[in-house]
Amino acid sequence: MIRLPAPRSRTGPLVAGGIVAAGGAVLIVCATAGHAPVPARTTTAAPAADGLPHTAIRVTAGSCGTGWSRPHPGQQVFDVRNDSAGPAEVDLYDPATGAVLGEVEGLAPGTTRPLQVTLGSGAFAFKCLPDDGDAVIGPTVRVPGHAVSGPAAVPVTQHDLIPPAIAYQKWIGARLGDLADAVATLRSDVDRGDLDAARTAWLPAHLVYERLGAAYGTFGDADKAINGTTAGLPKGADDPGFTGFHRLEQGLWHGESADRLRPVADRLATDVDTLRDGWSQARLDPAQLGLRAHEILENTERFEITGRTDYGSGSNLATARANLDGTRTVLGYLRPLLTTRYPALPRLDALLDRLQHTLDSHLTGGRPTPVDDLTTAQRERLHADLGQAVERLADIAALFDVRRTS
């Protein structure tokens, strides 16, 4: 799998209930750093140009959420102004459950930003998290009636993610042993000069690696050495920096001799053995698991089903299927946290099942259909199924973005 750049910092909404900003009914939080300031209002629940009632909320050094004096249910906007001396994150949450309905991140001093939410009946409060201080919780406000609130979720903490991260890291360690064995077989075939056998052994070995998708951030430079491509290399396929599985693929499917490929196979085996032997000392970042669950198939969409990483084997769809396995593995370790926070989990499972069925239809007889051989209808179906899964997995990335709670 081609790897995306380092993860981006959070600027979007806390997603819950399977709803994201592109999907219709949403929890919308305008919290980007470049948002133009909105003048603070002195009245509460006043209709604005957007047709929604607005309430001016103040944040100061010692108080949070003052100004909310006319609580009412329904869709509305809180214009949150920071009158303190430093930046802060501001959350609207349910004190009884800890579930967050909306957030404004990085609210600079003297700045006002809109926080749009749908409030139901119940008790709510604002929580302010200044960058250089402890949380300040505002007064609890009771909203009358019998309405139902919009999306909300209990924030995930670093502590929550440590057990699944440890379990996942142990799983990776076992798979690295399988990878080393598969690469040893591949290396032996090349060393004997049996390139037909090497072509047969290449794909199973590569797929073992592709199923390890959520660990690549921990692999560091080893990932590029083992699974890098020609992207950015001045000499392309002839560049000395082109190593690993795809360099071997290039040679095996483009008529290179065993003599030329032996050093490539040796280097691959050495790099894999080094990664396996050092894995017990690696430290997988628990906070990255949710993001990686999304990025695995995001990368698949960008690089595999477009054929951009095909160096002759025509195996991109088999790689995509392995990436799906990797995604399901990560979600499996996160599932105990998801079941209590993400009501749309059955919908996500159904989308992944449909994507699996589509990919499997192109892997008949153990030989994947090359991407270029797909019909237009097949290509459109694959892009649609994968795109919907990637969109839904963005919810997971947002939900597992670790947030301060105190």
Side-chain angles (χ1 to χ4, degrees), residues 89-102:
E89 175 182 324
V90 182
D91 296 344
L92 177 61
Y93 83 117
D94 180 342
T97 65
V100 176
L101 288 86

Side-chain angles (χ1 to χ4, degrees), residues 4-341:
L4 290 175
R8 301 172 294 276
S9 62
R10 170 168 52 93
T11 57
L14 177 71
V15 179
I19 301 173
V20 294
V26 296
L27 164 64
I28 302 175
V29 182
C30 298
T32 55
H35 196 283
V38 178
R41 294 174 171 83
T42 58
T43 59
T44 59
D50 56 16
L52 297 175
H54 282 237
T55 301
I57 296 296
R58 292 185 66 225
V59 176
T60 67
S63 65
C64 179
T66 59
W68 189 10
S69 60
R70 299 181 189 174
H72 61 92
Q75 192 174 18
Q76 55 195 285
V77 177
F78 294 98
D79 293 318
V80 184
R81 180 173 180 79
N82 184 359
D83 287 328
S84 70
E89 175 182 324
V90 182
D91 296 344
L92 177 61
Y93 83 117
D94 180 342
T97 65
V100 176
L101 288 86
E103 62 181 0
V104 177
E105 185 189 33
L107 184 63
T111 302
T112 303
R113 293 197 190 130
L115 171 60
Q116 181 174 319
V117 296
T118 300
L119 283 186
S121 305
F124 306 96
F126 280 95
K127 178 189 294 185
C128 298
L129 300 149
D131 282 2
D132 57 354
D134 295 333
V136 178
I137 299 176
T140 298
V141 175
R142 297 193 176 277
V143 177
H146 303 282
V148 177
S149 292
V154 177
V156 174
T157 67
Q158 186 91 357
H159 181 75
D160 293 329
L161 290 169
I162 289 175
I166 291 173
Y168 182 70
Q169 183 157 353
K170 290 179 179 178
W171 181 85
I172 292 290
R175 301 293 80 72
L176 287 176
D178 297 340
L179 176 65
D181 291 343
V183 170
T185 299
L186 174 59
R187 178 188 189 182
S188 177
D189 292 338
V190 173
D191 190 55
R192 291 185 291 103
D194 190 347
L195 299 189
D196 285 339
R199 280 186 285 271
T200 300
W202 181 88
L203 182 57
H206 187 231
L207 296 184
V208 174
Y209 187 82
E210 289 289 341
R211 293 186 180 98
L212 309 180
Y216 73 83
T218 312
F219 289 165
D221 291 340
D223 179 61
K224 182 177 180 181
I226 293 170
N227 206 39
T229 69
T230 56
L233 299 180
K235 297 181 180 180
D238 296 324
D239 197 289
F242 185 32
T243 63
F245 276 114
H246 290 301
R247 172 63 184 89
L248 198 55
E249 178 188 11
Q250 170 76 21
L252 287 172
W253 273 271
H254 289 87
E256 290 191 46
S257 67
D259 287 341
R260 288 198 63 183
L261 293 179
R262 285 189 186 100
V264 179
D266 289 345
R267 167 73 186 275
L268 174 60
T270 298
D271 288 336
V272 167
D273 288 345
T274 300
L275 178 61
R276 176 200 58 193
D277 295 342
W279 183 246
S280 62
Q281 303 303 314
R283 291 295 177 265
L284 191 150
D285 184 358
Q288 296 299 312
L289 284 182
L291 177 64
R292 300 308 185 206
H294 172 246
E295 285 186 342
I296 295 171
L297 288 188
E298 186 179 37
N299 289 335
T300 303
E301 185 177 39
R302 292 178 59 184
F303 300 108
E304 300 302 338
I305 67 170
T306 60
R308 291 169 62 182
T309 56
D310 181 12
Y311 287 86
S313 67
S315 61
N316 287 104
L317 296 185
T319 299
R321 180 64 171 81
N323 294 163
L324 176 57
D325 289 341
T327 299
R328 286 189 183 276
T329 297
V330 181
L331 291 176
Y333 287 104
L334 295 176
R335 189 166 290 268
L337 297 173
L338 280 169
T339 53
T340 58
R341 289 174 169 86

